[in-house]
Amino acid sequence: MNHSITIRFFAQLRELSGTEVLAYDVPADGVLISEVLSTLRSRPELWRVFDDVRLMMAVNHSMVREGHRVVPGDELALFPPVTGG
């Protein structure tokens, strides 16, 4: 059985990561987003994505914070804060 979430990068995060979509394995009972981000930050090819960047996050199209738990099948969207003007 597939125990993964889909991570989508938007805007400058997509450019910095060089990818739009990433599959990420999680335990069957899920994991906190903060743990996902910590693991992603440790990957050499992704450290620039998270270096000094504040993130906005959505799980299945609902805004969440790092303390939210993601479970297999969820979609985690990561994007920089939107500025208006």
Side-chain angles (χ1 to χ4, degrees):
M1 181 174 202
N2 186 358
H3 291 293
S4 66
I5 61 170
T6 300
I7 301 175
R8 293 194 181 276
F9 297 97
F10 290 92
Q12 78 186 60
L13 302 180
R14 179 177 57 229
E15 294 168 18
L16 289 170
S17 69
T19 189
E20 183 176 342
V21 179
L22 178 69
Y24 183 90
D25 291 332
V26 297
D29 61 345
V31 66
L32 296 178
I33 292 174
S34 59
E35 295 175 56
V36 173
L37 296 178
S38 178
T39 300
L40 292 177
R41 282 183 182 104
S42 71
R43 291 185 179 184
E45 73 276 17
L46 294 176
W47 73 268
R48 288 182 359 156
V49 175
F50 303 102
D51 187 41
D52 199 33
V53 175
R54 285 186 35 228
L55 296 175
M56 293 181 70
M57 296 158 267
V59 172
N60 302 328
H61 306 280
S62 295
M63 299 303 294
V64 297
R65 297 184 186 260
E66 288 188 28
H68 184 86
R69 179 172 293 276
V70 289
V71 296
D74 280 349
E75 177 186 82
L76 171 61
L78 302 174
F79 46 98
V82 177
T83 58

